[in-house]
Amino acid sequence: PHEELYFQFSSNRALRQGDWKLVSHRRGKWELYNLATDGTEMNDLASSNPERVSTMAARWEELAKTKDRLQGKNAAPVTENRAPLLQKDGRPASSTE
């Protein structure tokens, strides 16, 4: 058991602390899930827990810097935008589809 788990794959980011998981897909806005009550991550609790999001996001940044992961395109910050939609083959979906 770990107190926290840090994840990064390309521009996807996450931090798990106990039952809480903070996630950003493709540098989209941070999403927050309580895995004890929502194991499938369907109910984003970020808007009702802004302090937890802020604290966990700061910890994610701290770990990423320590692990020297914030380089190149991975250094781009998380935005307040929703992650862009993708087609099945992974290419960005056009806004007209």
Side-chain angles (χ1 to χ4, degrees):
H2 300 278
E3 289 184 29
E4 60 187 8
L5 296 171
Y6 158 93
F7 305 83
Q8 182 175 8
F9 178 75
S10 186
S11 59
N12 299 307
R13 306 164 183 202
L15 177 67
R16 180 169 178 182
Q17 293 177 330
D19 291 336
W20 294 97
K21 184 176 177 187
L22 186 72
V23 180
S24 170
H25 301 282
R26 298 178 305 281
R27 291 189 304 269
K29 70 177 189 156
W30 286 114
E31 300 170 11
L32 180 69
Y33 300 97
N34 184 326
L35 299 179
T37 59
D38 182 21
T40 56
E41 301 177 22
M42 298 296 290
N43 300 300
D44 180 5
L45 302 173
S47 62
S48 60
N49 293 277
E51 286 187 29
R52 181 174 294 279
V53 170
S54 179
T55 300
M56 289 181 73
R59 179 65 177 146
W60 186 94
E61 290 287 336
E62 179 183 326
L63 287 167
K65 287 177 184 171
T66 301
K67 297 180 182 303
D68 203 25
R69 299 290 186 128
L70 295 179
Q71 298 177 8
K73 68 178 181 178
N74 292 337
V78 169
T79 69
E80 287 300 313
N81 301 325
R82 289 186 118 356
L85 296 176
L86 300 178
Q87 296 181 36
K88 289 182 182 181
D89 63 5
R91 292 180 297 134
S94 73
S95 59
T96 59
E97 291 181 19

